[in-house]
């Protein structure tokens, strides 16, 4: 999406749009129909390609093919259901400040830049808990869920994101290094020579599994499960195990294959809950049969829809509860009409096309996922958050700098969570001495330890609240299983909805957002509507509900 008053939106910032140039060989993920592997291999050869590794779990072949017509030739076979080039195709869904890091805070004033040696934490709270209005909203406080249910180290929460800083002092006590994996090889530049991830930090260009050079994934992990340790902040479920399942690049973009690999690994490793604060595809909306798209583009979108759905189904069948950010497009996903942001790659390739509700945002509108909208501190739907009565399952605090229905100001209206020092230095958000250069970053120092925290907004910040509540439920009701505890995703989903706080649409049925000059209409009842879904997630209710 384009730059707006509060910053640019990342739900369509990068992609894998066009086919390779004529005569240029490229790698494709070729998805075949059930039982049609052999026919697909023959079709690849018949189209002039070379088949490679076969992923029998998700039903696709890695193939090399040359020429702009390779995908179309493949698509002529009844055995092929999708053909997607294995290139950069996704983006993390947090907001970004104009001219700053893509995960930097979007607002300007208010909170102090550093807290060094401040008052000690109160019983059952951490020193910066007073800044966590989000935890108060869902009852994750000393007098709420912390007193009754904090999760369990046997509960494994996977963060499919840009990585997790496993050495961060407010992440490390709960970081499961043994199970963490990185499925991404950084790319210094894109195919056109423009900088993507920048210089590789290690020779192999594949970072260790405890590194986050972007900061997005660390913020998400912190919201889910930063420990109650007398430093900084605490997460929704401060006693769970955090597992980095990295699928995003340093620059915050995602490739299809790492996403598929991450979801498959989550199912195989016994992960209980995964948080997906990203969307996949160069197309903000994936349309399988849009007549305005070329045949190659249709096949590409079918490949993403099919591949991600198969990976989600694989993980869910193995006990993984799937939670995702709804998106920052400020759009009623039940009634989309125009997509002006796609395909976002190669750069400058965007065009306007008419769309309808047959077009979907992946994974937010995929089957079997729990999609979460974002709220500001007043409880109002955040201006940027996507919505829709079919699509919104739950709501949670995600921050909104424009929310005037609260006494909080500026950055204090956003979500505060852990940030990697290295990423902040690169973004020039802290200076050479370690002092924050602005109000979007907070430093907390205790007993010779210092750690950094960042204010961010986005549906990326909302979904980890739901993931944390899901982890509490798994800890309370799960039975011994692979990896530790296990609870059927359908049961987790039922309990999440049952413990959410039902919230009605605005009295007028709509909300006017001055920052975007839009009116968003909320449809549905108090029990289920387009802004809040089944309600606002509640850690305190999850801590006391009877299974």
């Amino acid at each position: 999406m384009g730059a707006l008053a509060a910053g640019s939106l990342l739900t369509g910032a990068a992609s894998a749009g066009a086919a390779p140039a004529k005569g240029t060989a490229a790698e494709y993920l070729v998805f075949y129909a059930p039982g049609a592997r052999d026919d697909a291999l023959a079709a690849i050869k018949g189209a002039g390609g070379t088949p490679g590794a076969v992923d029998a779990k998700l039903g696709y072949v890695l193939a090399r093919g040359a020429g702009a017509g390779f995908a179309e030739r493949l698509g002529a076979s009844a055995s092929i259901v999708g053909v997607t080039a294995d290139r950069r195709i996704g983006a993390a869904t947090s907001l970004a400040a104009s001219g700053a890091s893509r995960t930097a805070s979007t607002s300007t004033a208010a909170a102090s830049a550093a807290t060094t040696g401040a008052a000690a934490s109160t019983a059952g709270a951490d020193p910066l808990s007073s800044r966590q209005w989000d935890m108060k909203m869902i009852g994750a406080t000393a007098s709420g869920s912390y007193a009754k249910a904090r999760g369990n180290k046997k509960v494994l929460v996977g963060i499919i994101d840009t990585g997790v800083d496993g050495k961060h002092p407010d992440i490390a006590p709960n970081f499961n290094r043994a199970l963490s994996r990185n499925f991404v090889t950084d790319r210094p530049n894109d195919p056109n020579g423009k900088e993507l991830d920048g210089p590789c930090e290690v020779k192999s260009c594949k970072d260790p599994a405890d590194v986050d050079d972007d900061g997005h994934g660390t913020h998400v992990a912190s919201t889910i499960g930063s420990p109650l340790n007398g430093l900084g902040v605490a997460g929704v479920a401060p006693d769970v195990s955090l597992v980095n399942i990295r699928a995003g690049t340093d620059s915050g973009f995602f490739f299809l294959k790492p996403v598929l690999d991450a979801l498959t690994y989550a199912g195989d490793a016994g992960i209980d809950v995964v948080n997906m604060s990203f969307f996949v595809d160069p197309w903000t909306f994936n349309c399988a049969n849009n007549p305005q798209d070329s045949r190659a583009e249709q096949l590409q979108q079918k490949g993403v829809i099919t591949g991600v759905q198969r990976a989600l189904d694989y993980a869910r069948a193995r006990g993984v509860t799937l939670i995702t950010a709804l998106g920052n497009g400020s759009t009623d996903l039940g009634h989309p009409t125009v997509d002006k942001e796609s395909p976002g790659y190669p750069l400058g390739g965007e065009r306007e096309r008419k769309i309808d509700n047959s077009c979907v945002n992946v994974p937010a509108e995929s089957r079997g996922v729990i999609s979460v909208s974002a709220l500001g501190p007043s409880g109002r739907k955040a201006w940027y958050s996507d919505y829709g009565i079919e699509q919104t399952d739950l709501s949670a605090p995600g921050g909104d700098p424009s929310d005037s229905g609260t006494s909080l100001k500026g950055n204090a209206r956003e979500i505060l969570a852990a940030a990697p020092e290295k990423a902040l230095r690169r973004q020039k958000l802290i200076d050479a001495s370690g002092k924050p250069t602005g109000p979007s970053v907070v430093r907390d120092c205790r007993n010779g330890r210092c750690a950094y925290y960042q204010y961010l907004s986005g549906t990326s910040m909302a979904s980890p609240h739901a993931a944390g509540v899901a982890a509490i439920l798994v800890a309370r009701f799960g039975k011994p299983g692979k990896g530790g505890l296990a609870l059927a995703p359908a049961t987790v989903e039922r309990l999440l909805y049952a413990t959410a706080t039902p919230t009605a649409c605005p009295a007028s049925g709509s909300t006017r957002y001055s920052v975007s000059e839009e009116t968003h209409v909320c449809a549905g009842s108090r029990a289920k509507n387009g802004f809040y879904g089944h309600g606002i997630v509640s850690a305190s209710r999850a801590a006391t509900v009877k299974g």
Side-chain angles (χ1 to χ4, degrees), residues 2-237:
L4 298 177
S8 62
L9 299 172
L10 297 185
T11 52
S15 56
K22 184 177 181 180
T24 301
E27 189 171 74
Y28 292 82
L29 279 69
V30 181
F31 295 91
Y32 53 81
R37 184 188 66 174
D38 292 345
D39 290 342
L41 293 172
I44 292 169
K45 294 177 182 178
T50 303
V54 176
D55 188 318
K57 294 178 180 178
L58 303 186
Y60 70 87
V61 182
L62 285 174
R64 298 283 299 178
F70 177 69
E72 292 96 320
R73 293 193 297 273
L74 268 181
S77 170
S79 65
I80 305 301
V81 296
V83 183
T84 302
D86 186 21
R87 300 167 66 184
R88 183 180 66 160
I89 61 165
T93 55
S94 68
L95 302 182
S98 177
S101 159
R102 63 178 68 250
T103 55
S105 172
T106 60
S107 56
T108 57
S112 63
T115 60
T116 304
S121 62
T122 58
D126 270 353
L128 300 181
S129 291
S130 62
R131 299 173 183 247
Q132 293 184 278
W133 59 266
D134 52 319
M135 299 301 170
K136 296 182 181 71
M137 179 181 287
I138 68 171
T141 62
S143 60
S145 63
Y146 293 164
K148 300 176 179 67
R150 300 180 180 182
N152 187 303
K153 284 293 192 297
K154 294 181 179 180
V155 178
L156 305 175
V157 183
I159 296 92
I160 302 181
D161 215 291
T162 62
V164 176
D165 179 7
K167 298 184 179 70
H168 190 287
D170 227 0
I171 294 286
N174 288 344
F175 186 70
N176 190 318
R177 184 170 278 97
L179 286 178
S180 291
R181 298 288 187 273
N182 175 17
F183 292 102
V184 175
T185 300
D186 291 332
R187 303 185 184 186
N189 302 299
D190 73 5
N192 296 322
K194 296 183 179 180
E195 183 172 309
L196 182 62
D197 298 324
C200 295
E201 292 82 9
V202 295
K203 186 176 181 180
S204 66
C205 287
K206 189 167 185 175
D207 295 331
D210 61 353
V211 169
D212 178 14
D213 290 315
D214 178 85
H216 187 274
T218 298
H219 196 282
V220 166
S222 176
T223 296
I224 295 169
S226 271
L228 276 164
N229 60 350
L231 178 71
V233 302
V236 178

Side-chain angles (χ1 to χ4, degrees), residues 422-445:
K422 183 179 178 181
L424 296 177
R425 287 188 183 279
R426 188 181 67 254
Q427 298 163 22
K428 301 188 186 312
L429 294 175
I430 57 177
D431 63 21
S433 70
K435 181 180 178 180
T437 58
S440 70
V441 174
V442 176
R443 179 177 61 184
D444 187 44
C445 297

Side-chain angles (χ1 to χ4, degrees), residues 154-155 270 272 318-319 474 477-489 492:
K154 294 181 179 180
V155 178
D272 294 297
R318 285 154 183 79
V474 174
F477 301 111
K479 304 298 182 184
K482 185 176 182 179
L485 295 176
L487 187 62
V492 178

Side-chain angles (χ1 to χ4, degrees), residues 371-407:
S371 298
V372 186
S373 67
L375 310 176
S378 72
R380 184 183 74 163
K381 186 189 79 69
W383 71 269
Y384 56 79
S385 180
D386 287 338
Y387 60 103
I389 191 167
E390 300 171 40
Q391 295 80 12
T392 307
D393 296 312
L394 291 167
S395 56
D400 185 351
S402 71
D403 189 348
S404 59
T406 171
S407 61

